[in-house]
Amino acid sequence: MDESGKPGDRQRLFLIETGHEADSLIRILRPFATQEAQIIGIRLDRQGEGQSILIEARGVSDERAAVIARQLEALVSVRSIGLGWKSMPTGDCSDRREATIG
């Protein structure tokens, strides 16, 4: 359940900076599977000597997000991690979203 008190109102965002290792995406996805997160979006952008991976997931409480972040930090190829969330408002404005990356 999210801070708003309603399950499913928020989607977690994970911004992960890594090197170009061939298996980095597969290694990064494992913590999400072990924490039973539902991945609903992945975006990978190559940048110079590394890559930026944005993962959007549902079903991730604050505690599970922290566990995922710790597991990601332990990976050799991970250079940095940013955590955030996206809120889906209720009502008629279903296409309005807010996002933060911390």
Side-chain angles (χ1 to χ4, degrees), residues 28-39 64 68 71:
I28 284 168
L29 293 176
R30 183 172 181 192
F32 292 90
T34 61
Q35 291 302 311
E36 300 178 0
Q38 178 187 9
I39 295 176
R64 287 185 183 205
I68 291 170
Q71 291 175 344

Side-chain angles (χ1 to χ4, degrees), residues 15-100:
L15 180 60
I16 305 137
E17 304 289 331
T18 71
H20 282 300
E21 291 80 4
D23 64 348
S24 60
L25 180 58
I26 292 171
R27 290 179 186 266
I28 284 168
L29 293 176
R30 183 172 181 192
F32 292 90
T34 61
Q35 291 302 311
E36 300 178 0
Q38 178 187 9
I39 295 176
I40 58 173
I42 298 175
R43 188 172 119 202
L44 188 141
D45 295 311
R46 290 195 172 262
Q47 312 169 338
E49 296 294 316
Q51 55 192 3
S52 174
I53 302 168
L54 179 64
I55 298 176
E56 188 174 335
R58 285 189 194 140
V60 182
S61 66
D62 287 340
E63 295 80 17
R64 287 185 183 205
V67 169
I68 291 170
R70 283 193 302 274
Q71 291 175 344
L72 291 171
E73 288 171 346
L75 298 174
V76 174
S77 64
V78 171
R79 297 176 180 169
S80 67
I81 301 167
L83 298 174
W85 54 271
K86 181 164 55 173
S87 179
M88 300 297 293
T90 58
D92 297 336
C93 302
S94 60
D95 60 341
R96 218 176 88 213
R97 298 178 182 196
E98 297 176 26
T100 60

